[in-house]
Amino acid sequence: GNIVMGDNDITGIDQLIFTSGSYFDDVGSSNYIRLKYNTTTGGGLRVEDNAGHIGGYLYSDGSTTSSFGLLDGTGAWAVRCLENQYVELRYDNAAKFQTLTDGVYVAGKLGIGTSTPDTDGYGYAEDLVIKGGASAQDGAGITIAGDGKRYGIIAFGDTADANAGEIFYDHNVNAMYFRTD
């Protein structure tokens, strides 16, 4: 039955065990509360409102190389961390931003200062759009800072020719070069 006490505190509990066999405990003196669920296929915490609408989940998939993160209300990944591999942000259960061992991956178009690069950019070049401020005095720009390197470069290419052309600035001689093939 229910436990009812005057100050609503319950003390001295080592584990809170549910009828399914899942439980909460304090993992000794490790400063963590553990949720141990009664399955090897995955589980976690479900968040829902008073009307029963599911807001999302704090979830672990239960595999040896654990995926851990947040699921949206439909049960699809929203934020996923794969152990010792990557962290990704997802939309419609597809990775849109993912960390890599040497950088990041962005799927689709990227807008800086805009959430609609496909409508703010030139129709044939909206993959990366940098939109400046709202006033005429604001600008938009890209800075390539060498940080001790000899040159700054913008390179052009495609699958047939990875190095088709470039805009190249050489810090050693203070010169700008334009090159094709």
Side-chain angles (χ1 to χ4, degrees):
N2 292 334
I3 299 173
V4 179
M5 299 183 318
D7 63 2
N8 294 321
D9 290 338
I10 301 172
T11 59
I13 294 178
D14 293 327
Q15 287 185 343
L16 179 58
I17 303 173
F18 299 92
T19 55
S20 66
S22 295
Y23 62 86
F24 282 109
D25 69 1
D26 68 358
V27 195
S29 61
S30 68
N31 297 327
Y32 292 98
I33 300 293
R34 173 173 53 185
L35 165 63
K36 190 162 187 177
Y37 44 88
N38 192 22
T39 178
T40 59
T41 59
L45 297 173
R46 182 168 82 183
V47 178
E48 61 183 69
D49 65 16
N50 194 34
H53 299 112
I54 299 171
Y57 303 82
L58 178 64
Y59 180 77
S60 175
D61 69 1
S63 66
T64 305
T65 306
S66 177
S67 285
F68 178 79
L70 301 174
L71 306 180
D72 65 20
T74 68
W77 285 107
V79 178
R80 182 177 178 205
C81 306
L82 186 61
E83 185 177 332
N84 295 324
Q85 293 187 40
Y86 57 78
V87 174
E88 63 188 15
L89 301 178
R90 298 172 75 88
Y91 178 79
D92 243 357
N93 208 23
K96 299 299 180 183
F97 181 89
Q98 186 179 69
T99 60
L100 306 171
T101 56
D102 61 350
V104 297
Y105 164 74
V106 176
K109 299 172 177 151
L110 178 61
I112 299 174
T114 177
S115 61
T116 56
D118 53 338
T119 59
D120 285 323
Y122 173 64
Y124 296 105
E126 74 279 359
D127 296 323
L128 169 62
V129 175
I130 301 170
K131 187 174 181 179
S135 74
Q137 288 75 29
D138 293 335
I142 298 172
T143 298
I144 300 173
D147 196 25
K149 304 291 184 190
R150 177 179 164 215
Y151 59 86
I153 189 169
I154 298 174
F156 302 89
D158 56 32
T159 55
D161 186 358
N163 193 13
E166 59 190 37
I167 301 170
F168 182 98
Y169 175 75
D170 189 329
H171 294 281
N172 288 353
V173 294
N174 196 25
M176 181 77 75
Y177 300 94
F178 300 87
R179 183 193 62 76
T180 60
D181 282 330

